[in-house]
Amino acid sequence: MSEEAQDFYFPEWIERDYANIKGSLSLTSAKELDKFRDTFSILNRKLSQLPEQITLDELYQIKPDKLKMLFPDRLSALVHACEYLVGYWAFQHAYKLKSAFEGFTFSLERGNFL
């Protein structure tokens, strides 16, 4: 088990019976459950490092004539536009993943999932 995976595992009610749950599985499934548990922990740690709030600058129009007003140098305009688009994409997907993970964890904690 990696060091990163030691802080958080499954909700308490699952952890309490983890040995019994694992014991009722085949050897292959038990190994996969351990891997999933470690990966779950690592993902939780990584996602919990995302700040609760961030400020995103916004480029309203990514057109050469509009960007020229802000960035006279063409290369600078291109770099800023690319940085904005990649940052915005990453922000959206990271927080969507965080939200989905929090919903999954909430469901596990309540034992209310399909």
Side-chain angles (χ1 to χ4, degrees):
M1 169 176 30
S2 71
E3 193 174 307
E4 285 186 0
Q6 293 178 351
D7 289 344
F8 174 84
Y9 288 114
F10 293 133
E12 186 270 330
W13 70 271
I14 296 174
E15 284 298 318
R16 187 175 52 240
D17 291 326
Y18 188 76
N20 291 335
I21 294 168
K22 192 174 155 185
S24 68
L25 300 173
S26 69
L27 208 53
T28 304
S29 295
K31 286 180 184 177
E32 291 300 318
L33 181 62
D34 282 338
K35 279 196 246 179
F36 176 73
R37 184 177 178 228
D38 287 343
T39 303
F40 184 85
S41 175
I42 291 167
L43 182 59
N44 180 64
R45 175 179 279 181
K46 298 292 184 191
L47 291 175
S48 67
Q49 292 173 354
L50 290 173
E52 289 297 316
Q53 290 183 330
I54 67 168
T55 302
L56 284 178
D57 294 324
E58 190 169 355
L59 292 175
Y60 295 108
Q61 292 188 355
I62 303 176
K63 296 179 180 178
D65 57 331
K66 300 293 183 185
L67 289 174
K68 193 185 334 182
M69 296 183 327
L70 298 170
F71 311 105
D73 176 37
R74 289 179 182 184
L75 181 58
S76 176
L78 177 62
V79 168
H80 281 85
C82 290
E83 181 182 37
Y84 163 73
L85 291 170
V86 169
Y88 187 72
W89 181 89
F91 164 79
Q92 281 186 313
H93 289 78
Y95 281 89
K96 283 179 184 178
L97 178 60
K98 182 178 181 174
S99 179
F101 183 80
E102 287 172 353
F104 178 70
T105 303
F106 180 83
S107 295
L108 277 177
E109 287 169 354
R110 303 296 182 278
N112 182 16
F113 54 93
L114 295 176

